[in-house]
Amino acid sequence: MGSVGAKDVPVLLTPEGRRIDGRKLDELRPIRIQAGPLHQADGSAFVEWGANKVMAAVYGPREVHPRHLQQNNKAVIQCRYNMAAFSVDERKRPGLDRRSQEISKVIAEAFESVVFAEEYPRTSIDVYIEVLQANAGTRCAGLVAASVALADAGIPMVDLLPAVAVGKVAGQIALDLKKEEDNFGEADLPMALVPQSGRLVLLQMEGHMTPEELSRALDLGVAGCTVIYGKMKQALRDRYATTELAGGAA
Ligand code: ADP
């Protein structure tokens, strides 16, 4: 959301209410989720969401590194979100910057509220999120991928965590912003929730919304999460249906 000259701002919303990629305000980008693509990890998932491509891998419960993070009464959930240097148009400086650290922290905290960590004291559940191609909404895509990867690893949880960002574009509340909308829009509100209870476990906001807009944005986000939740469950069903068939044929 940098300041740019008016001539540089693309048309974000047509008079007919269509967005830069033709979507309606309440429409998600296409999402494809694959559970279990990495065979060495305990659990994994690959998410293609619009132009985002994100891989998540889960290892554990396993020995804690570094050792001093070990907790006697529960597992520690360690999360590392990373954007590949080639994931954006201009080469990103490789390595963990402050943004990656912040995203890693909020995602770990979201999982802490759903994973039954007390079942695995003195262990670590390590969640790796690698963004291979980025086009806004990568923390949500990463969270969705990691959540399916945790389920694939057999980690007991209250539920899967669907996530989506809602924003404000050309004065309108819009679901699932893509890059230009994130850059030139007025607000960005990523969220993740526990579907059964509707409890929000991640909520951040950049930009400005009125209380009334915020309320509509939350409703739109919840509706988006419901759709994403269905796709997450389907990905896991597909994975285990295939495994059963393969096992049966062997
Ligand atoms: P999110 O990806 O969760 O929306 P941000 O709002 O921080 O997180 O970033 C929005 C988008 O901006 C990213 O998805 C990515 O496309 C782009 N971006 C973020 N950091 C960089 C960077 N260091 N260099 C280039 N593009 C970046």
Side-chain angles (χ1 to χ4, degrees):
M1 253 175 269
S3 64
V4 289
K7 69 177 171 52
D8 298 320
V9 180
V11 176
L12 294 178
L13 199 64
T14 67
E16 296 78 39
R18 293 287 174 166
R19 292 156 68 181
I20 195 157
D21 54 3
R23 277 184 295 155
K24 291 185 256 170
L25 288 167
D26 62 353
E27 214 175 311
L28 290 163
R29 290 175 286 182
I31 303 178
R32 199 174 70 87
I33 305 173
Q34 186 194 358
L38 301 178
H39 298 153
Q40 284 177 33
D42 294 317
S44 60
F46 183 55
V47 170
E48 290 179 84
W49 185 337
N52 290 318
K53 291 184 196 289
V54 181
M55 182 69 83
V58 167
Y59 288 83
R62 67 180 179 182
E63 209 171 302
V64 186
H65 290 290
R67 199 58 187 263
H68 70 266
L69 294 177
Q70 179 173 302
Q71 302 219 11
N72 285 333
N73 57 346
K74 61 176 185 181
V76 287
I77 299 171
Q78 302 197 74
C79 181
R80 199 189 99 129
Y81 162 103
N82 181 52
M83 273 195 0
F86 55 81
S87 65
V88 287
D89 291 342
E90 292 152 44
R91 185 176 178 277
K92 179 195 161 286
R93 276 178 73 118
L96 277 187
D97 51 17
R98 287 185 59 168
R99 175 179 171 276
S100 308
Q101 285 175 26
E102 172 216 311
I103 295 176
S104 301
K105 182 169 183 289
V106 293
I107 292 179
E109 285 170 0
F111 286 127
E112 275 162 19
S113 58
V114 287
V115 169
F116 292 113
E118 60 286 354
E119 291 190 15
Y120 304 102
R122 292 179 295 282
T123 67
S124 180
I125 297 169
D126 299 329
V127 179
Y128 298 91
I129 297 168
E130 292 289 328
V131 179
L132 305 178
Q133 189 169 283
N135 191 283
T138 60
R139 74 195 64 201
C140 294
L143 210 145
V144 165
S147 184
V148 173
L150 279 162
D152 184 44
I155 305 290
M157 296 179 284
V158 172
D159 208 340
L160 294 165
L161 284 185
V164 74
V166 185
K168 190 172 163 188
V169 174
Q172 301 293 319
I173 299 302
L175 183 63
D176 186 21
L177 305 191
K178 77 191 296 275
K179 185 77 166 63
E180 292 84 348
E181 298 176 320
D182 182 278
N183 283 6
F184 300 110
E186 295 104 82
D188 181 27
L189 182 89
M191 67 176 85
L193 57 85
V194 184
Q196 307 294 337
S197 61
R199 185 162 58 96
L200 289 165
V201 290
L202 181 147
L203 186 65
Q204 299 184 282
M205 183 153 101
E206 196 186 346
H208 299 281
M209 283 187 195
T210 65
E212 192 269 331
E213 285 170 340
L214 180 61
S215 160
R216 275 196 293 127
L218 289 170
D219 287 347
L220 196 55
V222 170
C225 281
T226 306
V227 175
I228 293 156
Y229 182 48
K231 290 179 187 289
M232 295 166 81
K233 285 191 293 188
Q234 189 58 48
L236 287 160
R237 271 190 224 112
D238 291 349
R239 153 101 160 121
Y240 289 100
T242 316
T243 308
E244 270 167 36
L245 285 177

